[in-house]
Amino acid sequence: MKSSSAEKNEKEATGVARWRQGDGARRKRRRRGLSRDARAQIPALVVALLLLVGAVVACLPPAERLGWGADFAGGTSYTFVSDADADLSSAVGTVRDRLAALDVRGARVSAADGQLTVQVPAGEDDASAVAEVARTGRFELVRLDSISDADALARISAGVSDVELAEGTYEAFLDGSSVTAASAVETSSGSGVYGLALSFDSEGAQAFADVTGELAPVYGQIAVVVDGTVVAAPQVSQAIEGGQVSISLSLTQTEAAGIAAAISTGELPCSLVQQGSSAFSAAVGADELGRALVVAGVAVLALLVVLLVWMRLLGLVAYAGLVYTAVLEVGGLALLSSAGVFVPTVTAYLGAAVAVLVAFCAQLLVVARVRSRMRSGTDARDALRSAPRSLRIELGTLAAVFVVGGLVLYFVVSDGGLATSPAGLAWPVAAVVGALSLALVVLPLGKLLACGPLRDRDAAGARDAKRDED
């Protein structure tokens, strides 16, 4: 029996008060409904979201971050011939390395029918840089007092640059073979005038120290000779020891970087003469690219329908893993492209698409194993814990094949005259992002659902089974 005061309080309780009491009870039940297993998935999903945002940011704007390359944007084709009967194929690798040193990305170099062709994608085109990489690259340091051509000596002494020296009229005391490192350096901050920073091997360092020590008392000059032409003749005021020196050459950045690249890559086996240049169109135009994107979009939507019909909620989880893997793959390639490592080509993007599909198939295999165990009566949470463990050997082997195979493809195989095959980089990236997608999206989402809809589904199945037994 209730006390009179309790009855009075109950009668005086307003509808709002009773609603508040009921709402508090409902909130309490909801808090109790979020189990420990469900709360444990939140950190992984938060990390997944942060990585997703980072990948999207890395891709924007796509034209700058990913780049389109010659296959998608076209560009300019430069043709060179040799002034002698030489095998131009031996010059391909050197020219390619020089272009890379000058930050000309995506260029293709090939030799055929007595011609060497350099294709530079739009946006990377720099005629002066292409001209620099065609240098023979013979680098020499010459004492000015050792030049026997009186006319050339007089012009150099008068400060005239680009003076050609005939063969046999001078003798170099150092050449490019003694240089261990070369780079372009600005002579003074903001001047726009560049020279060379050189490092010599031990013998070269000693030879340079001896010559500068002899010339310093009389302020003698050292001629910097590139392909038989004097580009500068700085005066020596002191002996320079230690094997390192910076030489002011009054060159542009491209000219200085071109000489440094020529020294670093070695001389070309022949002299190249530019025969002409012409524009070339993209292999994949905007219309073709648009149609390909429409087809891909339809295929992705059709896949979503199939997964929902086949696996229902687990199919949605697998689809989320596919989308997440694709976005992270593109983001990873965008970062590599920004770093100048990844070169966008049709082959590279096809390789990336195949890599994403294979990574998705690996995730789908895990989800299918989870579904199979649930259908056999295993609790959803137990199935989500045990299924990845049962496939760890297969998943590890696949990841290793992708990483090793992709790196071998990148470093060994040549793609269209490129030093490396950019398609190879898509494979190790897919292995990494596929593992992240499985660990941070597929399994956490599955476990989160196992605390709710999948758990209710298990309970309903158990009730149905008990009803059938009865």
Side-chain angles (χ1 to χ4, degrees), residues 47 241 336 348 396:
V47 173
E241 301 177 347
L336 294 177

Side-chain angles (χ1 to χ4, degrees), residues 290-312:
R291 285 194 291 268
L293 291 176
V294 170
V295 172
V298 172
V300 169
L301 290 177
L303 178 62
L304 174 59
V305 173
V306 171
L307 289 174
L308 288 176
V309 172
W310 177 27
M311 295 183 176
R312 298 186 181 180

Side-chain angles (χ1 to χ4, degrees), residues 255-346:
E255 291 171 339
I259 294 174
I263 296 172
S264 300
T265 57
E267 296 183 30
L268 289 175
C270 56
S271 298
L272 297 177
V273 178
Q274 184 171 335
Q275 193 176 42
S277 62
S278 60
F280 65 90
S281 57
V284 179
D287 294 339
E288 292 86 351
L289 185 60
R291 285 194 291 268
L293 291 176
V294 170
V295 172
V298 172
V300 169
L301 290 177
L303 178 62
L304 174 59
V305 173
V306 171
L307 289 174
L308 288 176
V309 172
W310 177 27
M311 295 183 176
R312 298 186 181 180
L313 286 176
L314 285 177
L316 190 61
V317 170
Y319 188 79
L322 170 62
V323 174
Y324 190 81
T325 301
V327 174
L328 255 63
E329 174 81 4
V330 176
L333 294 180
L335 291 175
L336 294 177
S337 179
S338 300
V341 179
F342 176 76
V343 179
T345 65
V346 171

Side-chain angles (χ1 to χ4, degrees), residues 156-378:
I156 297 170
S157 300
V160 178
S161 59
D162 296 332
V163 178
E164 293 188 9
L165 299 179
E167 290 288 343
T169 62
Y170 68 95
E171 182 177 354
F173 68 89
L174 275 180
D175 58 25
S177 63
S178 298
V179 180
T180 58
S183 60
V185 292
E186 195 171 15
T187 55
S188 59
S189 179
S191 66
V193 178
Y194 286 79
L196 288 176
L198 303 175
S199 296
F200 303 108
D201 58 21
S202 57
E203 293 183 2
Q206 186 60 53
F208 193 78
D210 293 341
V211 171
T212 54
E214 294 173 4
L215 295 178
V218 295
Y219 295 98
Q221 292 175 270
I222 294 178
V224 179
V225 183
V226 180
D227 293 340
T229 300
V230 178
V231 297
Q235 196 175 59
V236 180
S237 59
Q238 61 181 5
I240 300 176
E241 301 177 347
Q244 295 183 336
V245 62
S246 293
I247 305 176
S248 299
L249 300 179
S250 299
L251 300 176
T252 66
Q253 183 178 11
T254 300
E255 291 171 339
I259 294 174
I263 296 172
S264 300
T265 57
E267 296 183 30
L268 289 175
C270 56
S271 298
L272 297 177
V273 178
Q274 184 171 335
Q275 193 176 42
S277 62
S278 60
F280 65 90
S281 57
V284 179
D287 294 339
E288 292 86 351
L289 185 60
R291 285 194 291 268
L293 291 176
V294 170
V295 172
V298 172
V300 169
L301 290 177
L303 178 62
L304 174 59
V305 173
V306 171
L307 289 174
L308 288 176
V309 172
W310 177 27
M311 295 183 176
R312 298 186 181 180
L313 286 176
L314 285 177
L316 190 61
V317 170
Y319 188 79
L322 170 62
V323 174
Y324 190 81
T325 301
V327 174
L328 255 63
E329 174 81 4
V330 176
L333 294 180
L335 291 175
L336 294 177
S337 179
S338 300
V341 179
F342 176 76
V343 179
T345 65
V346 171
T347 305
Y349 285 134
L350 287 176
V354 172
V356 169
L357 288 177
V358 174
F360 166 68
C361 289
Q363 297 170 13
L364 191 60
L365 179 62
V366 174
V367 176
R369 181 67 61 88
V370 171
R371 178 175 178 269
S372 175
R373 296 195 173 192
M374 289 177 59
R375 289 171 67 90
S376 65
T378 305

